[in-house]
Amino acid sequence: LQASILFAWNHRPNNKLTFSELKLATNIPEMELKRTLWSLIAVAKLKQQLIFYEPHVESHQNLSESTLFWINYDFSLVRGGKVQT
């Protein structure tokens, strides 16, 4: 499911997409889409998130149809203080 969400940006890599646009592009049921998006935007162990969003919410349940999402092209994994390739 995460991959299908990321594929939504294949033909529009620099765009910000709303929740409703992602729902239409992925055809994932709303609650499952919210949970899967949350796994990409709110990973506490990561210093950087793969996807950014606005406005900030405290839970996946608070994501709305107009919430904006975009890819963090500066994303990298950092382990032991070093960027992983």
Side-chain angles (χ1 to χ4, degrees):
L1 292 176
Q2 290 178 338
S4 60
I5 290 171
L6 295 172
F7 284 140
W9 278 277
N10 270 359
H11 298 293
R12 46 189 174 249
N14 298 315
N15 289 13
K16 291 183 179 183
L17 302 177
T18 63
F19 180 82
S20 57
E21 290 171 328
L22 285 171
K23 188 167 55 171
L24 182 64
T26 61
N27 213 18
I28 298 172
E30 186 171 326
M31 283 310 297
E32 191 62 37
L33 180 58
K34 284 182 177 185
R35 281 189 229 120
T36 307
L37 274 168
W38 196 254
S39 72
L40 292 167
I41 64 177
V43 182
K45 293 181 180 181
L46 294 178
K47 293 182 181 188
Q48 300 176 24
Q49 300 304 318
L50 184 55
I51 295 179
F52 290 138
Y53 70 104
E54 63 183 24
H56 181 75
V57 293
E58 297 299 320
S59 164
H60 72 277
Q61 298 167 350
N62 300 101
L63 295 173
S64 70
E65 295 288 321
S66 60
T67 303
L68 287 174
F69 301 91
W70 64 96
I71 299 289
N72 174 11
Y73 286 103
D74 294 325
F75 176 81
S76 61
L77 291 175
V78 178
R79 289 197 179 131
K82 294 183 180 180
V83 174
Q84 302 295 301
T85 56

